[in-house]
Amino acid sequence: MMNFKKSYIYIAVLYLLVAIYIIIDNNPAVTFTLIIFLMIYHFVTFIGVKDKLSEDKQVSVQKLQYKLDETKKESEESYLHFLSLSQTLGSGVIMVNDDGKINFANKDVLEYFDFDFNNKYYEDIQISKPLYKFISKAYLLEQKYRKQIVYEDKYFDLLSTPIFEDDIFKGCLIIIHDITTLRTAENFQKRFTADVSHELKTPLSSIKGISEILNRDRNMEEKDRNEFIEILQKESVRMETILNDLLIISKMDRIDYELTVTEVHIGELVLESTNALKRLAKEKNIELITNVKDEIISVDKNKIEQVIINLIKNAINYTDEGSITVTGYTENDFYTLRVSDTGIGINSEEIENIFKRFYRIDGARSRDSGGSGLGLSIVKNVVLKHGGNIQVDSIKDEGTTFIITLPL
Ligand code: ADP
């Protein structure tokens, strides 16, 4: 800037000197020579400026090129970064370009649909009709689109976002979430709610019907009246048992549920629980034998007591004659508790079902004994929450043994 201004001053001074000289000495030859000199000077300066300009232009072009390269490199890097990130997302990612070609499909998509979509046109992915339909709609609509689809017993949530560059559609990015677990839990919850309503409806209808009869027929015979009252009591106790068990289950289902662990003399706890049920066994003429070694283990006392009571109660309920033996001993860092009966036994194909909520092999017998159908599901839940294990050995019409192991 400084040089530029100085050169102007020099030129101005030069012109002034030439003008003074021409005025003083009016010699045409000298004037002509001076004008020629000035023209040469201007020509040389012009060439210099031109060179400088083309040099500057070259530098600017180089700088621009460098910046362009840098931006390209950066966007390539972020694209690669996006691709590698999408491999670890745990969700499916599909990129469809403006020609309808799948530029990229990550490994989760491959896992979900067992098909490599990379470099295929979306029209060629008829392997999964619902996915094909979704992509075609998302691609043709050129707008945000969301849908849930089912493919081979799995549920997927699909979300497509269109990509625009200067208002020109460049394709779409599709994110796929596997929501099978969520849907299964939802279905399970719905079924469970329906089961609960059904379970409560039966005793409730019976209570309602009987109370109406009792109200209507005031002169009923005392014997009949007592029978009805007995049914009322039985049904209300059944409802209470179901509701109590439901409360326990719903508490244990909570994510933040924690056991109240203390050091417990497990042998003593088993004996206390067994003693409380001796009368029930005696009423059915069943012998209740205990052979339990004491050990101090860290458990939730109330919950383990409930496990023992549920198992012994079941053994009494499903045994018509013979005995029940409760054994407890320590083995390989585990405390093992066995409850054996000589009862009706369980078919091997039924064993995996008996831990399901409200599952009963003989509904009438279970209800008659006052069972809620939730006992074993609570037992399993409690044992697993303690880091333990439960196993069943059973022979139909000979008897059943429940074996529980709890870590010491
Ligand atoms: P319930 O209240 O019906 O006893 P449970 O969850 O405790 O519910 O048990 C589920 C089913 O498992 C019972 O209905 C019964 O058919 C079967 N079961 C449980 N314990 C025994 C057992 N000791 N012997 C034979 N069957 C049993």
Side-chain angles (χ1 to χ4, degrees), residues 230-247:
E230 211 173 285
I231 299 173
L232 276 186
Q233 275 170 343
K234 205 170 172 184
E235 293 297 346
S236 48
V237 167
R238 194 146 79 89
M239 277 183 78
E240 196 184 21
T241 314
I242 294 174
L243 287 172
N244 283 340
D245 283 354
L246 279 174
L247 268 176

Side-chain angles (χ1 to χ4, degrees), residues 29 43 73 76 82 101 106-107 130 133 152 180 246-247 274 279 295-296 320 343 348 361 406-407:
F43 181 71
K73 211 169 115 191
E76 268 173 13
F82 163 75
K101 189 177 175 186
N106 71 351
K107 66 169 179 29
K133 277 189 183 167
E152 291 191 344
T180 313
L246 279 174
L247 268 176
T274 316
R279 196 177 55 84
E295 185 78 57
I296 297 176
D320 295 324
S348 54
I361 299 168
L406 295 168

Side-chain angles (χ1 to χ4, degrees), residues 63-195:
K63 274 188 184 166
L64 207 69
Q65 185 64 45
Y66 176 75
K67 272 193 183 161
L68 260 172
D69 288 349
E70 280 293 291
T71 320
K72 202 173 148 207
K73 211 169 115 191
E74 264 173 33
S75 68
E76 268 173 13
E77 268 173 16
S78 35
Y79 180 65
L80 287 175
H81 192 64
F82 163 75
L83 293 190
S84 68
L85 202 75
S86 73
Q87 299 290 14
T88 57
L89 266 181
S91 305
V93 178
I94 293 182
M95 275 173 69
V96 185
N97 72 8
D98 46 351
D99 292 333
K101 189 177 175 186
I102 297 172
N103 267 356
F104 173 73
N106 71 351
K107 66 169 179 29
D108 297 80
V109 179
L110 180 84
E111 241 169 62
Y112 297 158
F113 299 95
D114 199 20
F115 185 78
D116 187 3
F117 293 90
N118 280 293
N119 299 317
K120 306 270 184 320
Y121 282 90
Y122 82 85
E123 290 101 331
D124 303 329
I125 56 156
Q126 308 272 357
I127 166 141
S128 160
K129 267 254 156 34
L131 181 67
Y132 159 73
K133 277 189 183 167
F134 176 84
I135 299 183
S136 93
K137 204 161 179 181
Y139 176 76
L140 298 173
L141 281 177
E142 295 186 9
Q143 48 182 256
K144 221 175 184 141
Y145 179 48
R146 183 173 209 153
K147 200 175 183 318
Q148 292 188 353
I149 62 162
V150 186
Y151 180 69
E152 291 191 344
D153 295 339
K154 287 198 146 202
Y155 294 91
F156 297 103
D157 180 62
L158 312 174
L159 173 70
S160 172
T161 312
I163 301 160
F164 288 101
E165 246 177 59
D166 300 327
D167 282 345
I168 297 167
F169 179 67
K170 287 286 171 194
C172 37
L173 174 72
I174 297 159
I175 307 286
I176 307 174
H177 292 296
D178 182 352
I179 51 161
T180 313
T181 327
L182 212 76
R183 270 293 187 94
T184 315
E186 214 175 272
N187 290 343
F188 175 79
Q189 201 59 41
K190 277 185 196 160
R191 210 175 37 239
F192 184 56
T193 313
D195 285 346

Side-chain angles (χ1 to χ4, degrees), residues 245 310-311 313-319 339 341 343-346 353-363 365-367 369-379 394 399-402:
D245 283 354
N310 279 358
L311 289 181
K313 254 191 181 173
N314 273 352
I316 297 172
N317 287 341
Y318 301 104
T319 301
V339 179
D341 63 55
I344 59 171
I346 305 166
N353 293 326
I354 58 172
F355 296 100
K356 291 179 185 162
R357 294 171 185 186
F358 293 123
Y359 190 88
R360 298 160 166 120
I361 299 168
D362 180 347
R365 181 167 185 146
S366 156
R367 286 192 184 91
S369 63
S372 67
L374 297 169
L376 283 183
S377 113
I378 296 176
V379 167
S394 187
T400 307
T401 304
F402 282 86

